[in-house]
Amino acid sequence: MMKLSFSGLKYGERDVELKLMVDVQNDWFEVTHTKEVSQVMNKSTGKYIQVHRNTLKYEVVS
């Protein structure tokens, strides 16, 4: 089982970090970008984060 952790600074705020976990084998997820915003949505759970585009990071958790 492989999981990804997405994180970044909340769009419209400076000091608020958001995180979202995605299970690559079981979840359907989507990453979209505009000029200023990146959005990561776990479509299986309906949870999402909107962050400043230049702060989006991901990490392989397991």
Side-chain angles (χ1 to χ4, degrees):
M1 176 170 25
M2 186 166 116
K3 292 185 180 181
L4 297 176
S5 173
F6 290 92
S7 64
L9 294 178
K10 182 177 180 178
Y11 183 71
E13 309 252 346
R14 292 181 184 245
D15 298 332
V16 179
E17 184 175 14
L18 300 175
K19 291 187 177 187
L20 179 71
M21 186 76 66
V22 174
D23 181 340
V24 175
Q25 292 179 325
N26 297 316
D27 293 333
W28 182 35
F29 68 99
E30 179 178 85
V31 180
T32 57
H33 304 283
T34 66
K35 187 175 180 180
E36 298 178 5
V37 177
S38 292
Q39 178 173 291
V40 182
M41 180 175 206
N42 183 332
K43 291 191 168 192
S44 299
T45 64
K47 295 180 180 178
Y48 68 96
I49 59 173
Q50 286 184 329
V51 299
H52 290 279
R53 183 176 179 156
N54 61 347
T55 67
L56 181 65
K57 297 182 249 178
Y58 76 93
E59 174 183 353
V60 177
V61 178
S62 60

